[in-house]
Amino acid sequence: MSNISLESGNAAIYDPRKVLQHPQFRVLVEGEKPSKDANIAAFYNPAHEIHLVEKPRPVPGPGQVLVHVRATGICGSDVHFWQHGRIGDSMVVSDECGSGHESAGEVVEVGEGVTEWKVGDRVAIEAGVPCSQPACDACRTGRYNACPNVVFFSTPPFHGTLTRWHLHPAQWLHRLPDNVSFEEGALCEPLAVALAGIERSGLRLGDPVLICGAGPIGLVSLLSARAAGAEPIIITDLFQRRLDFAKDLVPGVRTILIQRNSSPKEQAERIKTAAAVPLAVALECTGVESSIHTAVYSMKFGAKVFIIGVGKSEQEFPFMHLSANEIDVSLQYRYANQYPKAIRLVNGGLINLKPLVTHKFALEDAVKAFHVAADPSQGAIKVQIVD
């Protein structure tokens, strides 16, 4: 987070100033073709620019691994940091900042004391690195996503993983089985978000489920809910092409096109009609107030609305409807302890992530990739940069 101290712990090790103040750091001129061995990366800044930079190739220290990043997905938060410069009050772009946190790659060098990894190992990169100190209650109790001293790569001020060579703590890498591609390994990050939501929502085999939003998180939530045995599953979106994509992904899903001129209560009636059974769980993947209201009004007595999406800082909720119907509302911040599960599910064939990647770009074309990811008319689901 922006107010984290850079003077100690992991924050000092990954201090972004080490890169920004290095003599090799420079912003590439538009159209410039970097050399194939240059450590290039996609950075955004407070002026809402997205561009390629060249930075030094890091050298792993004790407990660290140097990874050649082979695939990175562009997340909505990356686009938001570029275009809006902040998410909330604690994550603010105040200088040049490297993007990307959905990555997988290949080990190219290991530091002193690293025995679990060797050159050539294929890994998924868990981008959030907590302090792991015994005095940290969040880390000690296993909810390390709440660690106040976490270094989350690509969240300002820390530079992200959308780069050629990335330095990472050995213990926060996850081995990829031979039949899991780098692209799938990168998609394990949004899958981890969805799995955390599935776990904390309490969704059970046979539960009727509503998923709000058919963007990348909504779609991986759809795949996860289907793998968990939810039935029926209703998914909503403002765009028919995304609902068509969801139908291709999970043919049994029931789709509802949200009508902009209808109220949440009216939308809820359409959802309940499509479900034909009382809905027990909503996975709200948009963070939009009207969508949350629609989810609430769609639920049966005693249901749960679980909000995965990120929205505006303050919102109004239909308090008395929630109260009179004992509908629980829960929210999520990132994830913890989900990567091994995500990799097992992909490796075992329970979740197929491959169709989600609709656009691929070379690392040198990362700026073009950002513009495609940010433009709804392009029809992108997940844009990935490969190297």
Side-chain angles (χ1 to χ4, degrees):
M1 296 181 185
S2 296
N3 57 359
I4 193 171
S5 170
L6 299 176
E7 306 308 320
S8 62
N10 287 327
I13 295 172
Y14 298 101
D15 185 343
R17 295 172 297 190
K18 293 179 181 179
V19 171
L20 299 179
Q21 296 171 5
H22 195 281
Q24 290 183 12
F25 177 83
R26 66 187 185 92
V27 176
L28 271 62
V29 177
E30 186 175 353
E32 180 180 351
K33 298 296 183 184
S35 65
K36 274 294 181 185
D37 60 349
N39 191 21
I40 57 174
F43 273 48
Y44 30 66
N45 62 26
H48 309 298
E49 298 168 325
I50 181 78
H51 44 222
L52 290 180
V53 306
E54 184 173 343
K55 58 181 186 172
R57 172 172 166 155
V59 176
Q64 292 180 316
V65 171
L66 186 64
V67 178
H68 176 196
V69 180
R70 298 293 300 276
T72 301
I74 296 178
C75 175
S77 65
D78 293 313
V79 174
H80 202 86
F81 280 131
W82 159 38
Q83 294 186 331
H84 302 281
R86 66 193 302 137
I87 295 177
D89 294 327
S90 61
M91 295 174 274
V92 181
V93 178
S94 58
D95 206 333
E96 292 285 343
C97 186
S99 63
H101 54 268
E102 303 177 3
S103 294
E106 183 179 354
V107 173
V108 293
E109 194 175 345
V110 299
E112 178 186 345
V114 176
T115 58
E116 65 269 43
W117 301 111
K118 65 181 186 303
V119 173
D121 283 344
R122 301 166 64 257
V123 296
I125 301 170
E126 184 164 355
V129 179
C131 72
S132 301
Q133 295 301 307
C136 176
D137 186 68
C139 289
R140 188 179 64 254
T141 58
R143 301 190 73 172
Y144 59 82
N145 52 321
C147 174
N149 295 310
V150 66
V151 170
F152 199 97
F153 293 103
S154 84
T155 295
F158 301 105
H159 304 313
T161 58
L162 208 175
T163 183
R164 179 158 285 144
W165 315 107
H166 172 70
L167 197 61
H168 208 72
Q171 67 269 36
W172 293 100
L173 297 172
H174 302 274
R175 192 176 304 279
L176 290 179
D178 291 341
N179 66 324
V180 177
S181 67
F182 291 120
E183 290 81 3
E184 291 170 294
L187 281 165
C188 282
E189 202 280 341
L191 178 55
V193 173
L195 293 177
I198 294 286
E199 182 177 300
R200 292 193 56 238
S201 73
L203 187 151
R204 297 174 298 179
L205 184 70
D207 275 349
V209 172
L210 168 66
I211 298 172
C212 298
I217 295 298
L219 292 171
V220 290
S221 296
L222 170 62
L223 290 168
S224 301
R226 174 56 82 212
E231 176 61 30
I233 304 175
I234 318 298
I235 192 166
T236 67
D237 203 89
L238 285 165
F239 299 99
Q240 185 61 48
R241 65 173 176 270
R242 286 192 164 186
L243 295 175
D244 294 341
F245 192 96
K247 192 76 171 175
D248 289 339
L249 200 62
V250 177
V253 71
R254 305 175 190 181
T255 62
I256 293 290
L257 181 66
I258 294 298
Q259 299 170 348
R260 295 179 186 271
N261 59 349
S262 294
S263 70
K265 288 183 178 180
E266 291 169 336
Q267 310 279 18
E269 288 305 313
R270 296 172 58 225
I271 290 167
K272 288 189 283 187
T273 298
V277 294
L279 288 162
V281 178
L283 301 173
E284 209 300 313
C285 300
T286 75
V288 175
E289 185 175 300
S290 59
S291 180
I292 295 170
H293 288 203
T294 297
V296 169
Y297 291 127
S298 300
M299 292 297 102
K300 71 174 184 177
F301 188 96
K304 171 167 278 191
V305 173
F306 192 88
I307 303 171
I308 300 174
V310 176
K312 63 182 182 181
S313 296
E314 295 185 9
Q315 301 193 26
E316 293 184 358
F317 279 17
F319 178 84
M320 279 312 301
H321 183 87
L322 290 165
S323 175
N325 289 277
E326 288 192 1
I327 297 171
D328 295 335
V329 176
S330 297
L331 298 98
Q332 176 172 331
Y333 182 64
R334 294 175 178 157
Y335 48 81
N337 307 304
Q338 300 299 323
Y339 256 86
K341 185 197 304 182
I343 293 170
R344 289 197 303 270
L345 289 166
V346 175
N347 183 44
L350 277 78
I351 291 180
N352 179 16
L353 298 172
K354 292 177 182 177
L356 297 177
V357 181
T358 54
H359 296 71
K360 289 185 183 181
F361 291 84
L363 179 57
E364 292 81 359
D365 296 322
V367 172
K368 186 185 298 182
F370 261 85
H371 284 279
V372 170
D375 182 0
S377 70
Q378 298 290 324
I381 298 297
K382 179 57 66 175
V383 177
Q384 282 194 345
I385 289 91
V386 296
D387 190 47

